[in-house]
Amino acid sequence: MKKMIIQDIIIPALFASYIFLLTKVILFKFGHIDITFLLEQLQSNLKNPANMKDRLLLFGNFIPLNEIVSAVQNRTYHNIFNLLGNIALFIPFGIFLPLVIGKGYINLKRVCCISIIVSLCFEVSQAVFNIGIFDVDDLLLNTFGGMLGYALFKFGIKSCRCTRMKGVPST
């Protein structure tokens, strides 16, 4: 019964909270969520899609590894924080996926695909709502973070199994 409550209620609630916080961090940069503002931004872009296109072409990064290489070459606090932050943001995603979807249905390839899709949704949302800059390198970093999270999950599961096999009581 206790395991069912954790699996059916607590883990999905934690995952939903994580997705909410991820949305708040990526789209709203820690600010408050203002639906009216989003609708105004969307309306503005729909009335004049050329603005969105111009912004994408002017500020967007469509060249893989361009910003990553630049950040590594010009190591400032902001650049390193941005690189590591994009990875760290998706580590919990890779941990949650097998817990929410089920260990038997998820593998590294699926985590990679789902991480790309979710990250792409965030990047496109930034462009559509005119609240951020599209960056293909964010897709790469977020995806790596998701895969790293999944690897940590698998390592943790393997560690637990090894500990139990050795006769050490689990906590």
Side-chain angles (χ1 to χ4, degrees):
M1 180 72 166
K2 190 176 183 180
K3 187 176 180 181
M4 230 170 93
I5 291 171
I6 291 171
Q7 187 65 34
D8 295 341
I9 297 170
I10 295 175
I11 290 175
L14 288 172
F15 184 63
S17 299
Y18 162 73
I19 293 296
F20 174 80
L21 289 172
L22 190 63
T23 301
K24 193 167 171 70
V25 169
I26 293 175
L27 297 184
F28 299 98
K29 315 301 182 224
F30 298 100
H32 69 284
I33 296 174
D34 187 348
I35 301 298
T36 307
F37 172 74
L38 282 181
L39 291 173
E40 289 170 0
Q41 292 293 96
L42 179 61
Q43 241 177 0
S44 173
N45 276 340
L46 291 175
K47 285 180 185 173
N48 194 352
N51 282 346
M52 184 172 52
K53 180 184 138 209
D54 292 345
R55 187 170 161 37
L56 275 170
L57 293 175
L58 189 60
F59 297 111
N61 172 34
F62 296 94
I63 303 166
L65 302 176
N66 186 48
E67 293 297 317
I68 294 172
V69 168
S70 175
V72 169
Q73 288 174 343
N74 306 311
R75 287 181 299 273
T76 65
Y77 173 79
H78 178 266
N79 288 346
I80 299 305
F81 182 81
N82 186 50
L83 288 177
L84 296 178
N86 274 300
I87 293 168
L89 278 174
F90 268 70
I91 289 174
F93 190 76
I95 294 169
F96 271 118
L97 281 179
L99 295 172
V100 173
I101 294 173
K103 291 177 235 163
Y105 298 105
I106 204 79
N107 57 32
L108 189 60
K109 184 177 177 181
R110 288 187 178 141
V111 169
C112 178
C113 291
I114 295 169
S115 295
I116 287 171
I117 291 166
V118 170
S119 183
L120 182 61
C121 288
F122 280 118
E123 292 300 312
V124 169
S125 293
Q126 287 183 94
V128 168
F129 292 110
N130 202 20
I131 53 176
I133 298 168
F134 182 92
D135 188 347
V136 72
D137 287 348
D138 287 353
L139 292 172
L140 297 174
L141 294 167
N142 294 160
T143 301
F144 178 72
M147 294 169 65
L148 181 60
Y150 179 73
L152 291 171
F153 172 82
K154 292 295 278 186
F155 177 76
I157 293 295
K158 198 176 209 174
S159 254
C160 287
R161 285 185 188 144
C162 287
T163 303
R164 283 188 201 140
M165 283 184 211
K166 291 179 183 175
V168 178
S170 59
T171 55

